[in-house]
Amino acid sequence: QVQLVESGGGLVQAGGTLRLSCVASRDMWSINSRGWFRQVPGKQRELVANIARDGTTNYGEFVKGRFSISRDNAKSTIYLQMTGLKPDDTAVYYCNAHSGMYGRDYWGQGTAVTVSS
């Protein structure tokens, strides 16, 4: 088991920046990738960005160069640097850890991001 704790959400004006952080309770060898998803009421959770164990990154199409995912392995932490925020980015952002071997996803409790126009 691994627990994920997000932080860094909040209220920001359009065009602003935020940095989200996600700390894992421990490093698990079975975790293939870690990342961020987001969800708004009535819609499916969607991928924002993820980073694989080998450092390969993947972004949702809507990101368009505005967000950047990174990690600090020594701190078991991943980050999501968000710039050029838009009101459409308003959502609850969830940290994710994926284990391909066990076919399992771990989720944080979510952190809310609100972008005002």
Side-chain angles (χ1 to χ4, degrees):
Q1 291 288 338
V2 60
Q3 282 74 48
L4 305 173
V5 179
E6 304 102 332
S7 61
L11 174 64
V12 64
Q13 289 188 332
T17 65
L18 279 176
R19 189 176 83 153
L20 306 183
S21 301
C22 174
V23 180
S25 59
R26 65 190 188 100
D27 189 24
M28 291 178 63
W29 62 268
S30 65
I31 297 298
N32 301 96
S33 67
R34 294 183 61 187
W36 296 92
F37 286 71
R38 71 184 189 182
Q39 189 170 25
V40 296
K43 291 190 176 182
Q44 287 189 333
R45 196 170 290 190
E46 63 180 349
L47 173 70
V48 179
N50 61 21
I51 182 165
R53 186 170 284 274
D54 66 1
T56 303
T57 58
N58 185 40
Y59 293 91
E61 287 189 5
F62 60 86
V63 170
K64 297 183 179 178
R66 299 181 297 128
F67 300 172
S68 177
I69 189 169
S70 62
R71 68 186 179 193
D72 184 335
N73 291 334
K75 296 181 179 180
S76 298
T77 300
I78 62 169
Y79 304 95
L80 183 69
Q81 181 72 35
M82 302 187 291
T83 63
L85 283 161
K86 307 173 182 178
D88 284 349
D89 294 317
T90 296
V92 177
Y93 285 70
Y94 294 92
C95 181
N96 167 269
H98 176 72
S99 170
M101 172 170 287
Y102 298 116
R104 174 163 185 178
D105 286 287
Y106 300 89
W107 297 96
Q109 80 285 356
T111 185
V113 172
T114 302
V115 184
S116 63
S117 57

